[in-house]
Amino acid sequence: MSKMRRYRPRNPSPSVAEPRRPLLLGVFSFVLATRLCPGVRRIALLGSLTTAKAIPKDVDLLVTVERAMDLTQLARAGRRLKGLAQTINLGADIFLADTAGQYLGRICHYRECHPRVACRAQHCGLRTHLNDDLHVVTLSKDLLASPPIELWPKVIRRLAVPDDLEEILLTKLERDQ
């Protein structure tokens, strides 16, 4: 007799008691590396790290790029951030938009593009390092235009930020600008 299994959403279970600090430090490193990429125009923080949630599920970043930008350097920085998050059993998503405010998709987490069963990109390989899984995830025009926290080229807070976010990330980025 088979057992019925019900889908139960699982809460994130990081391997460290306080995952916010390593995630925020990872975001800081990502911003330092990514702002040097030709074609990157803005980097913003979205999602649970913008709140005081003690155990965020992942890092969510929005990177605004010139439409024809080569995504290779950006993808490398994204894989580093995802790898850091995975070491503590969490994740990271790098969402992409163009300078006209059009959502493009996410940075692909594979280093090399070739057909995979797990790939959800609609046009896998058409643009290197772009996962255009718009049927799975999309961001609203309002969120693209006014993300909660812009990290670069200028720090802009559109909401009250948690103390650790202010101390570990925003203050450092403001000093560095």
Side-chain angles (χ1 to χ4, degrees):
M1 181 163 142
S2 67
K3 292 183 180 181
M4 255 178 84
R5 294 179 193 231
R6 293 184 183 192
Y7 172 74
R8 290 188 185 119
R10 295 185 330 174
N11 290 327
S13 56
S15 61
V16 295
E18 296 180 14
R20 290 182 60 88
R21 181 174 181 76
L23 291 177
L24 290 169
L25 290 170
V27 170
F28 182 71
S29 295
F30 175 86
V31 171
L32 293 182
T34 305
R35 68 184 185 179
L36 301 174
C37 297
V40 169
R41 295 293 167 244
R42 180 180 69 176
I43 305 167
L45 184 64
L46 316 170
S48 56
L49 267 181
T50 66
T51 71
K53 187 174 183 179
I55 312 258
K57 182 178 80 168
D58 61 0
V59 174
D60 294 310
L61 291 165
L62 170 64
V63 180
T64 304
V65 300
E66 292 176 2
R67 194 174 252 302
M69 175 188 165
D70 178 356
L71 299 174
T72 304
Q73 276 184 270
L74 180 58
R76 187 176 302 119
R79 285 191 307 275
R80 260 188 250 119
L81 178 60
K82 288 177 189 211
L84 174 116
Q86 286 172 349
T87 65
I88 58 173
N89 294 333
L90 297 174
D93 273 316
I94 314 301
F95 300 99
L96 298 175
D98 66 16
T99 53
Q102 190 73 28
Y103 178 65
L104 302 174
R106 296 183 279 178
I107 285 291
C108 180
H109 58 270
Y110 296 113
R111 190 167 23 109
E112 295 175 1
C113 189
H114 54 82
R116 294 172 169 85
V117 173
C119 184
R120 292 184 167 177
Q122 292 177 333
H123 304 97
C124 183
L126 186 63
R127 182 166 181 194
T128 307
H129 305 295
L130 177 64
N131 178 2
D132 62 345
D133 60 349
L134 307 183
H135 60 293
V136 176
V137 177
T138 191
L139 302 182
S140 72
K141 291 248 184 221
D142 290 340
L143 184 59
L144 296 176
S146 296
I149 301 172
E150 291 186 32
L151 303 173
W152 184 85
K154 183 178 177 190
V155 173
I156 299 173
R157 300 160 187 82
R158 292 192 175 90
L159 49 74
V161 298
D163 291 341
D164 63 344
L165 174 58
E166 186 67 44
E167 293 165 17
I168 296 170
L169 185 60
L170 302 182
T171 301
K172 286 182 181 178
L173 288 173
E174 285 178 323
R175 268 187 274 160
D176 199 55
Q177 290 176 351

